[in-house]
Amino acid sequence: MMRTRPLKVALLGCGVVGSEVARIMTTHADDLAARIGAPVELAGVAVRRPSKVREGIDPALVTTDATALVKRGDIDVVVEVIGGIEPARTLITTAFEYGASVVSANKALLAQDGAALHAAANEHGEDLYYEAAVAGAIPLIRPLRESLAGDKINRVMGIVNGTTNFILDKMDSTGAGYQEALDEATALGYAEADPTADVEGFDAAAKAAILAGIAFHTRVRLDDVYREGMAEVTASDFASAKAMGCTIKLLAICERAADGGSVTARVHPAMIPLTHPLASVRGAYNAVFVESDASGQLMFYGPGAGGAPTASAVLGDLVAVCRNRLSGATGPGESAYAALPVSPMGDVVTRYHISLDVADKPGVLAQVATVFAEHGVSIDTVRQQGKDGEASLVVVTHRASDASLTGTVEALRKLGTVRGVASIMRVEGE
């Protein structure tokens, strides 16, 4: 039997995502009530600009006092889609104190203070759900922390930022330069006026921290994630990738060490074989590839951003939290029992593609090979092209640690026959 008294929802933020959440709550009200077992009522909407017309939202629900809204005492669920660290952090913890569960899409806050937020939710017996914080509409958080809870996850690797994937896909498919592709992404609305958070990898790094924490039952903060942006990726890099049967993606990679004693989390551009499922992810789409002991290889794919897709994830969490509310239970909280250390980037082992500008004369290749050997880095393939006294030397290594590769490159720069290091890129996904 359906409960007639509605569950009350406070919405913090009414931008692209928040307005879609409100719209779906209104247009699908009957379906949501049937799925939950009780009606849900939008009890208040906190915004910064109350004078703005918001279609489908009763102006009487709109307030600029978010604190008063979450302190009402009759709110069952707070949906936070304002983003940023403050006031979101204080509003969420206040919601817990006043008896409300929280659904959030705030990746930056969760990556920085997820442990404290989980602790506050647990203290007050409330839920904290955040499917929408990573990869938009793609069901990912719940499968990792529930469906795969009985498995051992070894690696999570994915494209978790649609803007960067759109730019790199354009560079790959059309031969455009980085700035040209970025300008197109901006014109189409895929990139913000200030794209720094996306193209420098900050957005993906926050998502990597969240994914690593869930996958490895270990607290991983944003500061633990190694990050490189993609502004230095060139058309020449794509040409080199194609020569190897690869493309280039900005990847978030979270992995457990071979001995199981530590984990790493990193975001950087990487060459990936065209045979890998992630290589075929085009445009602004996201995809995450999961490798585990029992399940083997799984891939989650779909739209990773946008109002409606992200709102879909928010509403999925809202339904789950409301169901818990009716049954007097709470869902899974933080699982950090493993408490594995996070290793520095220097310990990460992978393959590398290095392009060198060298003098076109006898003995250069031997000198370069000697430097690699002295630093314990094994060479897989070498390709050399030369003309008019100048040459390019492309070296692809076997797997080596980041620290050993760094030492190798420093030594190469000291060789008189090496004019410069044109590019260094990791090779992943094999």
Side-chain angles (χ1 to χ4, degrees):
M1 180 180 295
M2 182 179 295
R3 191 181 88 165
T4 57
R5 182 167 62 84
L7 293 160
K8 295 188 176 183
V9 178
L11 179 60
L12 308 183
C14 198
V16 173
V17 176
S19 60
E20 279 295 310
V21 170
R23 182 188 67 79
I24 296 172
M25 284 184 64
T26 301
T27 58
H28 295 187
D30 291 343
D31 285 341
L32 290 172
R35 294 167 194 169
I36 292 168
V40 287
E41 173 188 310
L42 188 58
V45 182
V47 300
R48 286 184 297 175
R49 296 186 295 275
S51 60
K52 181 180 178 181
V53 176
R54 293 172 173 85
E55 187 177 348
I57 297 178
D58 183 351
L61 298 177
V62 176
T63 178
T64 57
D65 193 344
T67 301
L69 179 59
V70 300
K71 283 184 174 182
R72 273 178 38 169
D74 64 340
I75 299 298
D76 293 287
V77 184
V78 170
V79 175
E80 184 272 309
V81 287
I82 57 178
I85 305 303
E86 288 291 357
R89 173 171 49 198
T90 299
L91 290 170
I92 289 174
T93 55
T94 301
F96 294 143
E97 292 169 8
Y98 281 78
S101 289
V102 173
V103 172
S104 176
N106 196 330
K107 55 188 171 288
L109 177 58
L110 288 158
Q112 178 172 305
D113 288 322
L117 294 179
H118 274 293
N122 183 65
E123 178 186 353
H124 296 284
E126 304 295 344
D127 273 324
L128 173 61
Y129 275 52
Y130 43 90
E131 185 68 63
V134 180
I138 304 171
L140 184 59
I141 300 297
R142 194 170 290 117
L144 286 178
R145 74 177 183 178
E146 296 181 33
S147 304
L148 297 174
D151 206 344
K152 179 185 178 184
I153 297 173
N154 297 309
R155 197 172 203 232
V156 179
M157 178 171 74
I159 299 161
V160 294
N161 183 279
T163 300
T164 55
N165 200 58
F166 178 88
I167 293 170
L168 293 173
D169 184 36
K170 278 294 176 182
M171 293 177 70
D172 185 28
S173 60
T174 69
Y178 168 76
Q179 190 60 51
E180 182 183 353
L182 173 58
D183 289 344
E184 182 174 353
T186 304
L188 292 173
Y190 291 124
E192 301 287 346
D194 180 0
T196 302
D198 294 325
V199 300
E200 292 300 327
F202 291 102
D203 176 84
K207 295 169 182 176
I210 295 170
L211 292 175
I214 296 171
F216 306 131
H217 305 279
T218 291
R219 288 176 178 168
V220 179
R221 290 169 49 89
L222 180 58
D223 291 346
D224 295 321
V225 182
Y226 174 83
R227 178 194 55 79
E228 284 181 23
M230 49 171 273
E232 301 303 317
V233 176
T234 66
S236 295
D237 291 326
F238 273 102
S240 295
K242 287 182 179 180
M244 290 178 58
C246 294
T247 188
I248 298 172
K249 300 291 186 182
L250 185 75
L251 298 177
I253 303 171
C254 314
E255 56 190 351
R256 189 189 301 266
D259 63 4
S262 64
V263 299
T264 58
R266 50 197 166 99
V267 169
H268 53 72
M271 294 182 180
I272 188 167
L274 295 175
T275 53
H276 194 283
L278 290 176
S280 62
V281 178
R282 311 304 295 266
Y285 274 70
N286 283 192
V288 177
F289 199 73
V290 178
E291 301 175 36
S292 64
D293 278 1
S295 301
Q297 298 178 332
L298 306 169
M299 191 167 93
F300 302 82
Y301 169 84
T310 306
S312 170
V314 170
L315 267 295
D317 279 350
L318 179 63
V319 169
V321 169
C322 286
R323 287 171 175 169
N324 292 343
R325 197 89 174 170
L326 291 179
S327 66
T330 54
E334 182 190 35
S335 175
Y337 74 89
L340 297 171
V342 182
S343 295
M345 187 62 187
D347 292 347
V348 171
V349 175
T350 189
R351 296 180 68 203
Y352 290 87
H353 176 283
I354 305 103
S355 180
L356 304 171
D357 296 325
V358 300
D360 186 16
K361 63 182 183 180
V364 173
L365 179 56
Q367 291 179 351
V368 169
T370 298
V371 170
F372 275 87
E374 288 173 347
H375 288 81
V377 178
S378 175
I379 294 175
D380 182 17
T381 62
V382 178
R383 186 175 74 253
Q384 183 173 2
Q385 294 177 322
K387 184 178 180 181
D388 299 328
E390 298 295 330
S392 63
L393 191 65
V394 176
V395 178
V396 179
T397 74
H398 288 291
R399 291 175 65 82
S401 72
D402 188 83
S404 62
L405 196 282
T406 298
T408 302
V409 171
E410 290 176 354
L412 288 171
R413 294 183 192 277
K414 296 176 182 178
L415 286 179
T417 51
V418 174
R419 307 290 171 77
V421 179
S423 69
I424 304 171
M425 191 167 294
R426 296 169 183 86
V427 183
E428 302 284 351
E430 295 180 288

